[in-house]
Structure formats: structure tokens, C-alpha cells
Amino acid sequence: MLARRTRPGPMWLTMTVAGVVGATVATAAPDGLPTVRDDLTPEDQARVERVTRPAQDFSKPERYEALPGGAATSRKLANRDAFSQPSANLSFEEEGTFKLGNALFRKLWVSSPSSTQASDGLGPLFNARACQSCHLKDGRGHPPEGDSDATSMFLRLSRAPRTPEEQALLKDKTLLNLPDPVYGSQLQDLAVPGLRAEGRMEIAYEEFTVTLGDGTEVPMRRPDYSVTDLAYGPMDISTTLSPRVTPAMIGLGLIEQIHPADILALADADDADGDGISGKPNIVRDGKSGELALGRFGWKAQTGSLRQQAADAFAGDIGISSPDALRHWGDCTEAQADCLAAATGVQERLGDSEAPDPVLDLVTFYSQNLAVPARRDVADPQVLHGKQVFYDLGCASCHTPKFVTRRDAPNDAHAFQLIWPYSDFLLHDMGLELTDWQIVGDARGGEWRTPPLWGIGLTETVSGHTFFLHDGRARNLTEAILWHGGEGEAARDGFAALAKAERDALIRFLESL
């Protein structure tokens, strides 16, 4: 048995992270990324600026606040299927395309060779047999609890560069980080018959208590990650483990159509305004064109488009190749000879990949059109007061409430919509306690993309749990807030100092999203 461990720094209540906050690296807008919107008339621009101004009146809801996805918002019953509804403004024909994509999203892949032909190609090493296996009910993943498996959570692997050539690849963004030489970029805990899985993730929790300003005690847990039963020898000495739960799938197509200039305008890598918030973009390379692009998907904002996200997930999670990621053996490395010798599921009559263009196109369309559910209780006095507390604590500095999507979006369902994701989609330093010690492009170890908050109040309804943050360590919203460090430290400390009624109002507001 072989194990590797990663351990967070000292408890945040007993340390200062001053200086860490300012340690981000300034990132200028690169050539090719617009710094002003090029899709609007002057009249439209003025209109956008007017409707996206921060709230000032908390006595009543803002106009259209109950429709966080604009005209695409789902008004269906807020039940277990609340995250699985199509954009409400799709055409009849597009709804059919959405349903086809849904079927492929749920499709169970099998190992090769198989009589199914169009369904084989699984693995040979993998984490799940279907997209839906990780994104249960299109909702939020969770760490394994009790006897449950780790299907909706996995470990990213990354090692330090060894040569000038590797450093150049990282600097040029040809690669965002470097995989472990034996186990690749992701630990695969499942394998096809005849092969051994790479290993098994282990989590040990250290329980502790945080005492708030009014004496309320909040139980917390600090995770420690390791890998057991490594099947192919030791990992590289510099390889780190970064746990990731799968995020909810709602509103992704709308996020994709936020103009990059609106996100870049929020960046302040050097904290020029002195507010303690120094968000920065993750500039990546588009997997298909090779051009520089704004990363906006993933916990580290490491992916610029949903098609690329789908292609990477097919290859990395299921071991299925697609036209945008021709990795027939998934994440297998040169050190895993038996894996690379296994049969693939490529069918010549269907193309040169296991999931040809129709599959990737349909799954991408499905991912782009999972609707954001309508808000609940927007006019409730406690919710409105909680919204004011949210603003007063400075939460809106990172969790930007509103955007208006592009006029020229490829799909009319996403075009010129006022949306309320509550995220700036930038990287922020969250302190040593949340550091995973991995660099992903411009993202340093403690830097994470601000996650959208829309739909967060339906997590338990859809996913059956209330685990939050990138690794699900927080068991409720209060714990999630108390884990904020770095740029979130002031808001966290402000929350801890609130009276119970104020804290309850803030949580009620978040639960209404």
C-alpha cells in the first residue's frame, strides 16, 4: 500500500493571511480579448449599465430579480428535477435537441470490444460510466460519506516542472499544469475488466469548533486527503492532490455568453482600489483553436468553453475520445502499458473518435441549456434584509449579482438576457486553509474561481445534501462562509460578528437563490 498526503496550513483563526492576499500576479488583458463590449449600440450600453447597477433599495425586490436566468428561467416546480429543465425560451425543435443531448448525457458507456458498437470505448481507466453518474440530477457533487462512493468527487493530480522546456510550456499556456508521470492528471478509481484501478481516495476529517461573536459554537471539519492501493507504483514526489466535487450544471450557456469585457472589467489583480479584493482572470488557450481565451468554467476557471469542458470530461472522467480530445485511452500514461494496449471503441464508419461530433454537439447543447430555476420568496422581508446584509458584508464584491449577456450570442435563447449568477468568474485568493498547492494556468494554489450562487438554495432538494466548497468540506452554508480566508476574510469575520437574527437573514437570502 502506498499513500500520499496533502495537508492544509495552520487553522485560520490562529494565523494572519495578510500578505497572502496581495500575492496574486497581475494579468493584463491579452491580445484578442476585448476590453470593451463590441456587441452593443451606445443606447444598449447605457441600458446595460443601468440595469446592472448594484442594489441600493432593499425594501422590495429589484425588477426581474425572480428570473435569475432571464427569459430562459425555468418556472417548473422546485423539486428533485429542478436543475434538469430546459431553457424556457427554446424553440420546439431545440427542445428535441435538448432531449437527445439528455439521453447521451445519461448514456452508460461499456468497455471495448462490445456488440453495442456505438457505446463502447469506456476507459480503460475511468471515474464514471456516464456524465450523469457524476452530475447526479444535474446537481452538485459530494464527498463520499459513510458507505457512499466517490463518483461525484475526484482528485486532480499535478506535479512541478522539471525542465526549462516544461516551464516554457506552462508560460506559453500550451499546458496549464503538468500531470503525474504515472497516474496522469486525474486519479482513476475504476477500470475495465482485466486492469487494476489506479488507486482509492481516502479522506480523514479533523473536527473542531469555531465560536462566533455571540458565543454560538459552529462545528467544523478539516479534511486530509491521501491515496491508497496505488496500482502502478509511487507518484512523483512533487505531485499534489486537489479534491474537486462536480458543480451544478444550471445556467452554463448563459455564463458562456457573458461578454469577456464585462468580466475583465471586474479584475483588479493589484487591488488598485484598496478594497482588499484582487480578483484576476485565468487566461487559457482554447482547446480547438489554440487562441487565448477567458477561462470561466471549472473550480480554477481553467476552461473557456462548454464544448471544451465536455470534451475534457469525456476523456478524463469516462475515457471516451471526441473530435476535440482524441484521447482514445483517456488519461492513461506511457507508464501504463496494459492500458494503452487495450482495445478502443473507435468505429471507422462513425469517425475517428469514440464520441463523434453529433455526440459532442448534443451533449454540449444540453449543457448549455439546463435552465436556472426561478427565485423563491424574493419579496419576503427576511430575505430582503438578508440581501442587504450580503451587500453590507461585501459579499457582492466577488459574488457579482448581475450581468447582461451578449447581443450576438449564437443561440437566441441566450442573447441579451439579464441574469443573476452572483459570481464575477474571477480567481480570488481564499487563504491557506483552502489552498490545494496546485497551479492551474494563472491560478495559484489558494486561488479559486468565484462559484455562482444561483440555485444554491435548492441543493438539498435536488442533490439530497448541503455540502459546499470545492471539496464539500462545508456541511452547510454557515460552514462555507466560515471557511473563507484571504480576500474573503473580512466578510467572514463580519459574518462571525453578526447577531443571530442577521446571520439567519443572510442564510435565508442565500437559500432563496
Side-chain angles (χ1 to χ4, degrees):
M1 179 182 295
L2 252 165
R4 288 195 54 78
R5 293 188 176 271
T6 56
R7 181 78 175 176
M11 174 57 191
W12 55 257
L13 287 181
T14 62
M15 56 160 288
T16 175
V17 293
V20 177
V21 174
T24 56
V25 178
T27 304
D31 292 341
L33 288 186
T35 56
V36 294
R37 290 193 66 158
D38 54 3
D39 63 319
L40 302 177
T41 65
E43 293 78 11
D44 279 344
Q45 182 67 51
R47 184 179 171 193
V48 167
E49 291 173 1
R50 184 171 63 253
V51 300
T52 56
R53 287 172 186 159
Q56 294 183 331
D57 180 2
F58 300 97
S59 66
K60 60 184 179 181
E62 296 173 78
R63 194 178 184 188
Y64 307 122
E65 191 172 1
L67 301 174
T73 302
S74 169
R75 296 175 175 85
K76 299 288 187 180
L77 187 66
N79 57 20
R80 281 207 71 201
D81 295 320
F83 288 179
S84 300
Q85 303 301 325
S87 300
N89 54 350
L90 291 181
S91 68
F92 179 79
E93 180 182 9
E94 287 173 327
E95 284 194 35
T97 304
F98 177 88
K99 291 176 181 177
L100 288 172
N102 185 18
L104 291 168
F105 196 80
R106 295 169 178 269
K107 176 190 178 98
L108 292 172
W109 295 83
V110 298
S111 58
S112 300
S114 169
S115 60
T116 61
Q117 294 190 11
S119 295
D120 56 343
L122 177 68
L125 301 172
F126 60 99
N127 292 109
R129 291 183 59 198
C131 305
Q132 186 74 207
S133 300
C134 295
H135 298 279
L136 296 169
K137 307 297 288 185
D138 303 298
R140 187 184 303 270
H142 60 84
E145 297 285 321
D147 296 329
S148 66
D149 61 28
T151 303
S152 62
M153 181 178 182
F154 54 82
L155 290 174
R156 293 280 193 201
L157 310 177
S158 179
R159 65 170 172 85
R162 297 170 175 169
T163 65
E165 290 76 18
E166 288 181 342
Q167 292 175 338
L169 289 172
L170 296 176
K171 184 177 181 180
D172 184 59
K173 302 182 184 295
T174 300
L175 296 176
L176 297 183
N177 57 12
L178 296 167
D180 183 85
V182 175
Y183 294 93
S185 61
Q186 190 167 310
L187 184 76
Q188 312 286 340
D189 57 0
L190 297 170
V192 300
L195 287 181
R196 290 181 61 190
E198 291 182 327
R200 187 161 50 91
M201 174 175 60
E202 297 281 355
I203 312 175
Y205 289 106
E206 175 190 349
E207 303 286 338
F208 63 96
T209 300
V210 170
T211 302
L212 305 183
D214 62 0
T216 299
E217 293 188 342
V218 179
M220 304 271 282
R221 60 179 188 174
R222 181 185 294 108
D224 185 28
Y225 299 96
S226 62
V227 178
T228 59
D229 302 328
L230 286 172
Y232 301 94
M235 289 183 181
D236 187 89
I237 190 65
S238 68
T239 294
T240 54
L241 313 177
S242 181
R244 312 281 176 89
V245 297
T246 51
M249 297 283 292
I250 57 173
L252 299 181
L254 294 167
I255 293 172
E256 193 169 35
Q257 295 310 318
I258 298 173
H259 199 286
D262 284 351
I263 296 175
L264 293 172
L266 299 171
D268 184 18
D270 297 320
D271 191 19
D273 60 5
D275 67 351
I277 305 299
S278 50
K280 70 178 187 182
N282 199 355
I283 305 301
V284 301
R285 287 201 180 275
D286 181 81
K288 193 169 186 178
S289 70
E291 298 295 323
L292 292 176
L294 174 66
R296 60 182 82 196
F297 300 110
W299 286 104
K300 297 277 190 178
Q302 70 269 20
T303 309
S305 74
L306 285 174
R307 184 179 170 91
Q308 185 64 48
Q309 183 89 341
D312 290 345
F314 266 126
D317 301 343
I318 312 177
I320 296 294
S321 61
S322 68
D324 289 17
L326 288 171
R327 293 154 53 189
H328 307 316
W329 293 273
D331 196 38
C332 295
T333 69
E334 292 180 1
Q336 298 167 329
D338 289 344
C339 181
L340 295 178
T344 74
V346 177
Q347 306 291 328
E348 187 175 346
R349 62 188 176 84
L350 298 176
D352 61 355
S353 64
E354 295 162 323
D357 265 328
V359 174
L360 188 59
D361 289 341
L362 289 166
V363 169
T364 300
F365 186 86
Y366 175 74
S367 302
Q368 289 170 330
N369 286 288
L370 284 160
V372 183
R375 282 277 306 277
R376 301 152 312 286
D377 305 320
V378 292
D380 183 277
Q382 187 184 33
V383 170
L384 289 169
H385 181 56
K387 179 181 174 182
Q388 183 171 7
V389 174
F390 183 86
Y391 274 79
D392 289 346
L393 288 176
C395 303
S397 296
C398 299
H399 291 282
T400 303
K402 296 173 281 185
F403 291 90
V404 173
T405 59
R406 302 181 68 117
R407 266 283 195 197
D408 55 358
N411 188 329
D412 288 344
H414 305 142
F416 210 54
Q417 299 296 318
L418 172 62
I419 62 172
W420 307 67
Y422 284 90
S423 171
D424 60 7
F425 305 100
L426 296 172
L427 299 169
H428 293 276
D429 172 48
M430 296 302 294
L432 288 180
E433 282 284 352
L434 293 182
T435 294
D436 66 352
W437 310 108
Q438 283 193 9
I439 294 175
V440 185
D442 295 320
R444 298 302 182 255
E447 292 176 331
W448 301 90
R449 183 199 70 156
T450 307
L453 297 181
W454 53 13
I456 198 169
L458 291 174
T459 299
E460 185 170 17
T461 299
V462 171
S463 302
H465 66 80
T466 56
F467 298 117
F468 300 109
L469 301 181
H470 67 280
D471 58 359
R473 70 177 66 190
R475 292 163 291 191
N476 51 58
L477 291 169
T478 295
E479 287 186 42
I481 295 169
L482 292 176
W483 274 113
H484 283 52
E487 295 173 50
E489 182 178 5
R492 177 201 72 200
D493 291 349
F495 173 78
L498 292 173
K500 183 177 186 303
E502 304 285 291
R503 296 197 307 271
D504 290 348
L506 175 61
I507 298 299
R508 181 80 189 283
F509 165 69
L510 295 174
E511 290 174 343
S512 78
L513 295 178

